[in-house]
Amino acid sequence: GAAAPAFQSAVVAAAGELRERRAAERLARSDAGLFSADPAVRRAIAERLGWLDEPARQLAALEPLAALRRFAGSGGFRHAVLVGMGGSSLCPFVLRETFGPQPGFPDLVVVDSTDPDQVQAVAAAIDGSRTCLVVSSKSGTTTETLAHLAFFHRLLVDAVGEAAGDRCLAVTDPGSPLEDRARSLGFHAVVSATPTIGGRYSALSAFGMVPAAVMGLDVERLLRAGATRAAAVGAPSPGAEAAGVDLAAWLAGCARVGRDKVTLVADAGLAAFPAWIEQLLAESTGKAGRGLVPVADEPLGAPKTFGPDRCFVHLRLGSTPEDPQRRERFGELAALGHPVATLTCPTPADLGAEFVRWEVATALAGLLLGIDPFDQPNVQESKDNTARLLAEVATGRPLPEPPPEVVADGLSLTGGVAGDDLATAVRRWREGVAPPWYVAVMAYVPMTAPVAAALADLRAALGAATGAAVTVGYGPRFLHSTGQLHKGGPETVAFLQITTDHRHAPTIPDRPYDFATLQAAQALGDLLALRQRGRRLIRVHVADPAEGIRRLAEVLAAAAAAARP
């Protein structure tokens, strides 16, 4: 018979290492020594291992969550606006998209963008007199979240006056600046989160469960699924394997043979789940020049178009019929030697168990790859640049935007080579980009259906032109998700930053800048951080987001066609 693909023996070896190191058992008892021999690193990791016990801790104290559920269900609210970034927003986003609005409860609107047109659209879509506000930040100092708090609290005050505080909740670590701010504004409740959990591991903590209760979900069922899976981690086989240990070995084994592009393909009922996995994998493993590169929301194209740097995870929803065409596609991928794993979530209510499975898998895959899965050493770079730029704005100086080098077809490009036309500049940027390289599109644009469709066209054009995996992130949301991977992960990546003109510029109360300036400073701050690292990068500014991105896709497709022999 044919020889087994190389990844299979690498996965078997990785599983053997985890058994030898008693990794599952040691993780289950929060043994920080599993991850490092350095006492300082061990201490830091010990303060980040609270997530495995958290579902059981939450189950033992359900009454506060039940009280918030009653508050949300009896307040006559039409919407609950959740403001938070990264770990504070992605689990609530997945739950809202998966379960939809619940009868008798407010519809959850997640705001994790500083795009001024998007902020304005949310403000226009809600009735301030029938809205409650959930402000979520572990540190209590997140720039975007504090700007959103100021904006939406003012909107509530304008609608209901002094009663605004009674309609607000905060979720934060004990003693954070947000706790003080919320108390001073008379918030209905301030929920203290368990401080020994990093943001990306916080799905089944207060950061995920308070919004779940507010939107009327069965929080107990989600937590029970998570607690059952967590309890299996230290159990003898096959319990530990099913709890994420086998997935850890599979991910690390694939990465060790160069298959580090983890392509997530979800059934329709789990379509939002990859956005949460993306943050967990990218921020936990993207450092020291290595990392698992999550590829989410990519259409599953013809199997022969995928490079040898791919592995595929099918996120299957057991309660829905299997798509025979998709099953056939996965069979073809496996036949071509690509690693394919199918993970089944029996029903949406079992997502609690899936959060735990991926947390365990990510932590132990990091261990096998020699990476600390609990720190984020490079996230601060863009934040520091943005803070410096905003401080300059406060003194009356404009943002030092780089001047465009090429202007054509309503597109302005920087980062090319002087004298290039648009097609040449784009071609130079992607020259030599092929697997194991990937392309990262960083789009500082509103998240609307027309923009998403245009980005899908752009992604397809980039994939066809390079044969490489293409990731797409909305700015500044991705800074709290894949931003760590972009700076600390593999250097084989070409960046395309997209910025746009705005129709609106909503002001931020008590700030010397508006949302348009904040988003522009974040885009520029990240551009500078990537340039400081010598990354391959172009920036394209478009007048109209959907139209401009579609035009850019056409330019790419034409440039690729012209380059073919």
Side-chain angles (χ1 to χ4, degrees), residues 340-364:
V340 177
T342 299
L343 305 179
T344 302
C345 177
T347 72
D350 295 292
L351 263 176
E354 294 309 301
F355 288 129
V356 173
R357 187 207 306 252
W358 279 96
E359 287 167 351
V360 170
T362 302
L364 295 180

Side-chain angles (χ1 to χ4, degrees), residues 62-77 104-106 132 169 188 210 212-217 219:
L62 278 173
E63 178 45 40
L65 288 171
L68 292 177
R69 193 174 186 273
R70 290 192 295 272
F71 157 78
S74 63
F77 301 122
F105 287 90
C132 67
L169 312 171
H188 172 80
V210 167
V214 167
M215 65 179 119
L217 298 184
V219 172

Side-chain angles (χ1 to χ4, degrees), residues 40 85 96 115 129 141 143 152 159 195 283 301 307 358 382 404 452 461-462 560:
M85 301 299 296
R96 164 60 184 80
D115 185 274
S129 68
T141 59
T143 301
F152 286 104
E283 214 168 54
W358 279 96
S382 296
L462 283 164

Side-chain angles (χ1 to χ4, degrees), residues 47-48 138 173-174 193-198:
E47 289 170 11
R48 287 287 174 271
K138 179 178 169 61
D173 276 5
T194 304
T196 54
I197 301 174

